[in-house]
């Protein structure tokens, strides 16, 4: 399977999860590395736009096509267990390192489809070295997307 990640050009080849570790995310607390990816380039773009200043599109961006072995997808979540937040669930999942990937629904595209989803990759998992960047390309946001 191929997943997509959009980031600033200087960080596009960094799959350490350091950005999520420094700032936290929807599925991880600060201090816990994670790599956020999407099933399509368009969903990755929507995810970036949802977290940026609306009046100015992000610049100096690139996207990576990341190869992830299909057989490595071991955990899919439609909803978190009752009484637990996504942040708590994801942080526990990342710390336990029991699986390499967590398939999660998107907030910006919340419809249940088999083709639109996000994948959280665990850079601390023993099989993380089986994931690789197939290619990278410059990415520009259309100025009309503000």
């Amino acid at each position: 399977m191929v997943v997509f990640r959009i980031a600033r050009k200087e960080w596009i080849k960094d799959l350490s999860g350091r950005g999520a570790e420094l700032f936290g995310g929807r599925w991880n607390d600060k201090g816990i590395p994670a790599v956020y990816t999407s099933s399509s380039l368009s969903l990755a773009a929507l995810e970036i736009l949802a977290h940026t200043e609306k009046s100015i599109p992000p610049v100096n961006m690139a996207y990576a096509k990341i190869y992830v072995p299909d057989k490595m997808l071991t955990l899919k979540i439609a909803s978190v267990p009752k009484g637990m937040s996504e942040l708590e669930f994801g942080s526990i999942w990342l710390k336990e390192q029991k699986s390499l990937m967590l398939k999660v629904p998107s907030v910006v595209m919340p419809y249940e489809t088999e083709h639109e989803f996000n994948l959280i990759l665990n850079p601390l998992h023993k099989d993380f070295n089986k994931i690789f960047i197939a290619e990278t390309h410059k990415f520009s946001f259309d100025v009309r997307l503000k």
Side-chain angles (χ1 to χ4, degrees):
M1 141 185 349
V2 172
V3 295
F4 297 87
R5 174 176 179 263
I6 296 176
R8 293 188 56 90
K9 285 181 193 176
E10 62 266 26
W11 301 322
I12 196 62
K13 292 183 179 180
D14 179 6
L15 295 181
S16 68
R18 183 77 174 131
E21 181 179 15
L22 288 172
F23 302 104
R26 178 177 166 208
W27 295 92
N28 73 298
D29 277 316
K30 286 182 184 179
I32 303 171
V35 178
Y36 286 76
T37 67
S38 296
S39 60
S40 68
L41 185 56
S42 57
L43 181 56
L46 284 174
E47 294 285 352
I48 292 292
L49 289 175
H51 295 94
T52 58
E53 171 60 44
K54 303 299 182 251
S55 62
I56 305 169
V59 295
N60 298 320
M61 304 299 280
Y63 76 89
K65 287 175 74 172
I66 302 169
Y67 172 76
V68 180
D70 290 338
K71 65 181 180 185
M72 295 291 181
L73 181 57
T74 56
L75 188 56
K76 175 184 173 184
I77 185 159
S79 61
V80 297
K82 191 171 183 143
M84 185 179 276
S85 70
E86 293 162 340
L87 183 62
E88 291 169 308
F89 182 89
S91 295
I92 290 168
W93 171 78
L94 286 159
K95 286 183 203 175
E96 289 178 344
Q97 301 177 26
K98 290 181 180 175
S99 60
L100 176 62
M101 298 180 288
L102 179 64
K103 183 178 178 182
V104 299
S106 169
V107 170
V108 297
M109 189 61 66
Y111 309 101
E112 182 63 36
T113 72
E114 66 181 79
H115 301 292
E116 294 286 341
F117 55 87
N118 290 323
L119 267 176
I120 312 303
L121 308 178
N122 190 341
L124 301 177
H125 189 271
K126 62 181 175 56
D127 291 328
F128 192 77
N129 63 345
K130 295 180 179 164
I131 292 172
F132 63 89
I133 296 174
E135 55 191 78
T136 62
H137 299 278
K138 180 181 175 184
F139 187 89
S140 298
F141 286 92
D142 190 302
V143 294
R144 295 172 291 177
L145 295 173
K146 55 181 177 172

